């Protein structure tokens, strides 16, 4: 049976590259705006650098939005260390070349949040085999993006409909998603939107996140 963890995926902030203080400040602002998920990613970065950055991010996020979930990008070991040390880290987002989902679950325990990168129906079918230990999938790219070159063909708006129908866990769209796409993507049935540059580059990240959530809610009722 799929996991029943309730996650607020509507606005999922993935941190981009930048000075650590800017990343921390932006994550805090995003959490204040209502981002339910914050993934700490800042490539290229060492394991120690990711550990230290995540510790700073999670402290600030927890102070303003204790209900928000903070995840570590790729590094199950970094997530495990922070969780074991009592930081408010909730899990990990892994890619196709990282540890297998069951192995990540075994290391992090039953309460951790685990997400997996996908982007094709074949990858969705494979992810469904682990629905009992997987919380959501990130799916994309929606559009081509310089943030991450997956090598997969962009899905576009209509590409999400068959994926949503096939997937046994919640689907988060990623890949040059902006605030202006929120309503349209919600209308095709995705459960959330992962945004990097739109939030990182916003003059007011808190207000930008509020706009994403408002657009998503408008699209849900179409």
């Amino acid at each position: 049976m799929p996991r029943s963890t309730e996650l607020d995926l509507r606005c999922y902030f993935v941190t981009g590259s930048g000075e650590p203080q800017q990343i921390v400040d932006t994550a805090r602002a995003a959490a204040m705006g209502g981002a339910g998920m914050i993934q700490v990613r800042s490539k290229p970065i060492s394991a120690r650098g990711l550990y230290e950055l995540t510790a700073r991010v999670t402290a600030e996020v927890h102070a303003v939005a204790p209900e928000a979930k903070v995840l570590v990008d790729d590094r199950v070991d970094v997530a495990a260390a922070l969780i074991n040390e009592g930081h408010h880290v909730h899990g990990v987002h892994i890619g196709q070349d990282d540890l297998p989902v069951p192995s990540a679950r075994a290391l992090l325990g039953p309460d951790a949040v685990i997400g997996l990168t996908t982007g094709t129906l074949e990858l969705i079918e494979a992810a469904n085999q682990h629905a009992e230990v997987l919380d959501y999938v990130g799916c994309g790219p929606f559009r081509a993006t310089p943030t991450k070159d997956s090598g997969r063909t962009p899905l576009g708006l209509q590409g999400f409909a068959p994926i949503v129908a096939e997937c046994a866990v919640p689907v988060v769209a990623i890949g040059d998603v902006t605030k202006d796409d929120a309503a349209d993507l919600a209308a095709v049935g995705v459960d959330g939107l992962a945004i990097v540059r739109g939030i990182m580059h916003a003059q007011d990240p808190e207000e930008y996140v509020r706009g994403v959530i408002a657009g998503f809610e408008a699209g849900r009722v179409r």
Side-chain angles (χ1 to χ4, degrees):
M1 292 292 291
R3 288 166 58 83
S4 58
T5 305
E6 289 295 328
L7 299 173
D8 183 358
L9 299 165
R10 294 173 299 170
C11 185
Y12 184 139
F13 174 44
V14 181
T15 66
S17 59
E19 292 298 320
Q21 190 60 53
Q22 178 204 1
I23 293 170
V24 171
D25 291 344
T26 306
R28 178 187 176 96
M32 290 177 67
M37 305 287 292
I38 295 172
Q39 180 191 143
V40 183
R41 184 178 83 186
S42 183
K43 295 178 178 178
I45 192 171
S46 67
R48 174 66 67 86
L50 183 61
Y51 169 92
E52 293 173 350
L53 178 61
T54 304
R56 291 179 61 187
V57 166
T58 196
E60 291 294 321
V61 168
H62 185 74
V64 298
E67 70 283 359
K69 307 294 186 186
V70 176
L71 273 60
V72 176
D73 177 53
D74 290 351
R75 297 297 300 254
V76 178
D77 54 342
V78 172
L82 289 162
I83 291 170
N84 289 339
E85 291 165 12
H87 295 274
H88 297 286
V89 171
H90 302 88
V92 69
H93 182 92
I94 51 181
Q96 292 293 323
D97 294 328
D98 298 319
L99 283 181
V101 171
S103 300
R105 175 61 65 200
L107 288 170
L108 296 180
D111 298 327
V113 177
I114 297 178
L116 175 68
T117 296
T118 65
T120 66
L121 280 172
E122 290 77 13
L123 291 175
I124 291 295
E125 290 166 0
N128 284 346
Q129 302 305 308
H130 305 301
E132 73 282 356
V133 292
L134 184 62
D135 293 289
Y136 72 91
V137 295
C139 191
F142 172 54
R143 297 188 186 93
T145 170
T147 304
K148 184 175 183 180
D149 182 9
S150 66
R152 293 186 294 273
T153 301
L155 291 164
L157 191 62
Q158 298 309 314
F160 279 97
I163 281 174
V164 168
E166 180 69 22
C167 196
V169 298
V171 174
V172 177
I174 190 167
D176 198 33
V177 176
T178 73
K179 178 174 62 175
D180 295 336
D181 301 312
D184 289 340
L185 281 166
V188 299
V190 302
D191 298 277
L193 311 175
I195 298 176
V196 185
R197 291 182 298 152
I199 297 173
M200 284 295 297
H201 297 167
Q203 289 190 338
D204 186 340
E206 180 179 347
E207 187 58 31
Y208 191 96
V209 169
R210 293 188 192 281
V212 171
I213 294 171
F216 193 86
E217 288 299 318
R220 270 181 166 176
V221 299
R222 286 184 182 177

